[in-house]
Amino acid sequence: MLQYDFEESVGYWITITSHFYQDALNQELIPYGITFRQFQVIGWLVYEGPLSQVELADRMMIEPPTLVRILDRMERDQWIKRENNLEDRRRKVVKVCPEAKTVWSQMVACLKQLRKKATQGMSAEDIDTLKSLLMQVQKNLGVNVSEYETA
Amino acid sequence: MLQYDFEESVGYWITITSHFYQDALNQELIPYGITFRQFQVIGWLVYEGPLSQVELADRMMIEPPTLVRILDRMERDQWIKRENNLEDRRRKVVKVCPEAKTVWSQMVACLKQLRKKATQGMSAEDIDTLKSLLMQVQKNLGVNVSEYETA
DNA sequence: GCTAATCATTAGCCAGGCTAATGATTATGG
DNA sequence: CCATAATCATTAGCCTGGCTAATGATTAGC
């Protein structure tokens, strides 16, 4: 009764696999002296261009006060800078420092290498299948189970 | 050159999905006033029986000093107790408190519910496929890519 | 029996997560 | 047009969890 069959749980597989992936990614990031969250900040800014802090916090799915200190550390280490927005003086716009962009492209190369490693021996169909199954799980978790049960 | 196609990366899908799963699980755990790590401790102890701290740290893939404080908090909250091992007086054996077991079985029920929710609309084959693909990724990440490339 | 390894712990550091409250600014409704 | 409400970044204050290095007690092994 007490026992829970972890090894038969999707959650368990996903969690463990993600853990492995995180560890591998962190290993790649260590040489750059950057954390996963900092990496994410740069990624979003490169991807979407300069953003305000609320916008960035929203995309990272964290609270603004949490972001503040992440950005403090990144500003200290010259990865990003905060600029006052002239139209709306409450806002600050976060931008990636030019030097960070060079490092970013190196990190992208590492990422692609890691992705290649992770999907070794898998066909394009396998990868597609994996993606769609994970998407399904994500979608399932986003909705309320009761809505499904009554349907 | 700078852009990285996140939306085409296995790592991204796995990370995000795991994040959703973690959030959902944490929501379930909040009513019990328990964190994910604490949940894991109880899980391992229920699963394997009493363990020493090195053994437990090993299974949780964290360093012993990290575990010490997790256990401190759990002992404070009456989830576990540490008992001296008479055969080897350096060791302490970690045991789940009897009252925690009741709560554990409730949490197991929540977990199963969550699993059901996560796999809504998926066939047994789908789930099997997902498992084996994730296992493949795990295996790939555990080995060195160069070993594969030369093969 | 002495040295080396092992176990739990402490000290001291850091990242990252939250809520509540604050000050500055902008939006809005009357 | 002005007062009130909302918004944005920040601070304060708290917590969990991660690490390494060092310590003290004990056991293992030569």
Side-chain angles (χ1 to χ4, degrees), chain A residues 12-56:
Chain A
Y12 180 73
W13 310 328
I14 294 172
T15 303
I16 293 290
T17 312
S18 163
H19 207 254
F20 272 65
Y21 216 102
Q22 282 286 334
D23 280 358
L25 177 54
N26 281 332
Q27 284 303 319
E28 303 285 348
L29 296 178
I30 285 173
Y32 302 103
I34 218 171
T35 66
F36 176 68
R37 279 309 197 187
Q38 295 179 355
F39 165 81
Q40 249 189 313
V41 167
I42 300 178
W44 277 113
L45 295 177
V46 168
Y47 198 72
E48 301 223 29
L51 293 171
S52 78
Q53 297 187 201
V54 266
E55 289 166 341
L56 192 49

Side-chain angles (χ1 to χ4, degrees), chain A residues 35 37 62-63 65-66 69 73 76 87-90:
Chain A
T35 66
R37 279 309 197 187
I62 56 177
E63 296 301 317
T66 302
R69 294 202 309 187
R73 289 185 280 264
R76 177 197 65 194
E87 287 88 54
D88 186 342
R89 279 152 52 211
R90 287 169 306 183

